[in-house]
Amino acid sequence: MEITAIYPGTFDPVTNGHIDIIARAARLYSKVIVAVADNSNKHPLFELSQRVKLLEDVTAKFGNVSIIGFDNLLVDCAKQHNASVILRGLRAISDFEYEFQLAGMNRRLSPDLETVFLTPAEQYEFISSSMIKEIARLGGDVSSFVPQVVQEHLIEKFNRG
Ligand code: ADP
C-alpha cells in the first residue's frame, strides 16, 4: 500500500534531529512531505522561504521526500496532499503532553488521519531548534547539531545583528 506521510513543524531552522526523523520516515513510507508551518505569530528567525530552501538542500539525497510551506489547518493541508499519516518526533517525556494534545485534536478534526511518533537516535534527543538558535546567537559552535549550510546561515544571521 502506498502511504504518504506529512511531517509538520516550524523547522526554524532544520536540525540533525529533524533529519534523523525524515530519514527514518523515508524508509517507512512511499512519500514523505515535510510541511513547514508559516507560524509568523511565533516570529521565526528565518523566513518561511528560507526554512523551505534549507530543508530542500539537506533532504535532496532522499528520492521520496518533498518540502512544502503551509499556512492553513494541518488536517486540510494533509488532505490536499493525500497524506494519511501525520508524523511527529518525540524526544523526551517533556514533548509528550503537548504532542498528545495535538494528536487528540487532529483526530477530532480528521478521524481518518493517524498521528505516528518516531524517536530519533540517542545523540539527537536533546537537540531543539530554539536551543541551537540561542547557542549560535551567543557565538557557540553548533556544527555537530545542524548541517553545515544551516550553520552558515545562522552565523550570517547573527553576525548581521
Ligand atoms: P513545532 O513548532 O511544530 O514543534 P519543530 O520544528 O520544533 O516545530 O518540531 C517539529 C517536530 O519535530 C516536532 O514533532 C518535534 O517534536 C520534532 N523534533 C524537533 N527536534 C527533534 C529532535 N531533535 N529529534 C526528534 N524530533 C524532533
Side-chain angles (χ1 to χ4, degrees):
M1 195 162 71
E2 300 251 310
I3 297 181
T4 298
I6 190 163
Y7 178 32
T10 313
F11 304 101
D12 184 41
V14 56
T15 69
N16 291 344
H18 295 127
I19 296 168
D20 181 274
I21 297 295
I22 293 168
R24 288 169 200 284
R27 290 197 293 269
L28 287 171
Y29 299 104
S30 0
K31 216 172 134 193
V32 177
I33 299 168
V34 182
V36 186
D38 188 9
N39 264 348
S40 42
N41 55 330
K42 270 196 178 175
H43 302 293
L45 178 66
F46 293 100
E47 297 280 330
L48 177 64
S49 58
Q50 277 183 305
R51 287 178 275 142
V52 167
K53 176 76 175 58
L54 285 173
L55 268 157
E56 281 171 351
D57 283 357
V58 301
T59 62
K61 56 179 176 275
F62 304 108
N64 58 342
V65 174
S66 56
I67 318 296
I68 58 165
F70 78 106
D71 61 3
N72 57 339
L73 206 53
L74 173 63
V75 294
D76 292 338
C77 178
K79 213 168 286 169
Q80 281 161 9
H81 291 88
N82 295 317
S84 50
V85 167
I86 298 176
L87 271 180
R88 295 285 287 176
L90 266 188
R91 283 163 293 190
I93 300 293
S94 53
D95 278 341
F96 184 78
E97 200 172 326
Y98 173 70
E99 293 294 340
F100 189 77
Q101 197 180 2
L102 193 64
M105 184 53 83
N106 282 329
R107 175 170 285 162
R108 286 293 288 270
L109 293 172
S110 182
D112 296 335
L113 205 50
E114 291 298 340
T115 298
V116 171
F117 296 105
L118 295 178
T119 55
E122 221 177 333
Q123 68 267 35
Y124 303 125
E125 273 173 4
F126 57 91
I127 302 177
S128 70
S129 296
S130 49
M131 215 177 268
I132 298 306
K133 281 180 282 189
E134 190 59 8
I135 296 168
R137 189 178 69 79
L138 297 168
D141 177 12
V142 294
S143 58
S144 47
F145 312 127
V146 295
Q148 195 182 341
V149 61
V150 173
Q151 185 189 14
E152 287 163 7
H153 275 71
L154 281 165
I155 290 171
E156 191 192 306
K157 196 78 153 186
F158 289 118
N159 278 353
R160 253 199 240 149

